[in-house]
Amino acid sequence: METTSTNYFHLDIVSFNKHGFNQGRESINDIIDNYNPDVFLLQEHWLTPANLSNFDVFSDYFLIGSSAMSKSIECGILLGRPFGGVAILIKNSLRNVTQTISCADRYVIVKILNYLIVCVYLPCTGTTDRLLLCNNIFDDIWSWREQYVDCNIIIGGDFNV
């Protein structure tokens, strides 16, 4: 668990690869019970867009996230195992100071007070055009960073290295 603090603001952040929503659900409950973090950076929830509401079970938190399976769902019946997805769970008490900056298949960026927080899920070895995908993801993140130079930046997630 990482802790970031300033003289006026303290923020506890946990990054967690869920390997599926159901497989990681109890771990998130345990982390909440034991550490009560302000923010979760979550990768590989494997939910379709219609099922992102499953995160509502964490009633003290709100979700900003995306499904990596949107394009697969648009093409018809989903075949094979679910995959991907990134999300940030944020304590409800921080809702008034939180702004969604960008939400894509492989990253989510939010601003909480003077922090730009990025949850990223990079492609694994063997992914077609992996280097190009990584470059595009980091170019996108950097372009947002340049728009919020007055903010501290925190990047976490699954870098697959």
Side-chain angles (χ1 to χ4, degrees):
M1 179 159 60
E2 298 177 29
T3 301
T4 303
S5 64
T6 66
N7 292 335
Y8 304 106
F9 187 69
H10 178 87
L11 190 64
D12 290 323
I13 301 173
V14 172
S15 181
F16 184 65
N17 186 311
K18 292 179 62 64
H19 296 286
F21 179 83
N22 291 326
Q23 290 177 189
R25 181 177 171 177
E26 285 309 309
S27 295
I28 288 180
N29 281 326
D30 288 345
I31 293 169
I32 291 170
D33 291 344
N34 292 311
Y35 300 104
N36 196 26
D38 300 303
V39 178
F40 280 93
L41 307 179
L42 303 171
Q43 309 86 43
E44 288 196 272
H45 55 68
W46 298 352
L47 296 175
T48 62
N51 290 325
L52 287 175
S53 63
N54 287 1
F55 281 102
D56 291 348
V57 299
F58 306 109
S59 59
D60 292 337
Y61 293 81
F62 67 97
L63 179 80
I64 299 172
S66 66
S67 170
M69 296 192 299
S70 298
K71 291 178 185 170
S72 296
I73 297 295
E74 291 170 3
C75 293
I77 296 172
L78 183 61
L79 301 172
R81 74 169 187 83
F83 58 89
V86 289
I88 300 180
L89 273 179
I90 304 165
K91 269 192 182 170
N92 289 332
S93 60
L94 296 170
R95 186 181 295 270
N96 291 337
V97 293
T98 300
Q99 176 184 357
T100 303
I101 303 301
S102 183
C103 199
D105 285 358
R106 290 192 172 268
Y107 66 89
V108 177
I109 305 173
V110 298
K111 182 177 179 269
I112 301 175
L113 293 172
N114 65 330
Y115 291 98
L116 202 61
I117 300 172
V118 181
C119 178
V120 65
Y121 176 57
L122 295 180
C124 59
T125 304
T127 301
T128 306
D129 296 327
R130 179 176 191 247
L131 184 57
L132 178 62
L133 285 170
C134 289
N135 286 338
N136 288 342
I137 291 165
F138 283 119
D139 284 347
D140 288 351
I141 292 170
W142 184 252
S143 72
W144 287 111
R145 172 66 179 133
E146 287 181 320
Q147 294 180 49
Y148 292 89
V149 293
D150 59 325
C151 293
N152 298 305
I153 187 166
I154 299 167
I155 301 175
D158 186 342
F159 295 92
N160 274 310
V161 294

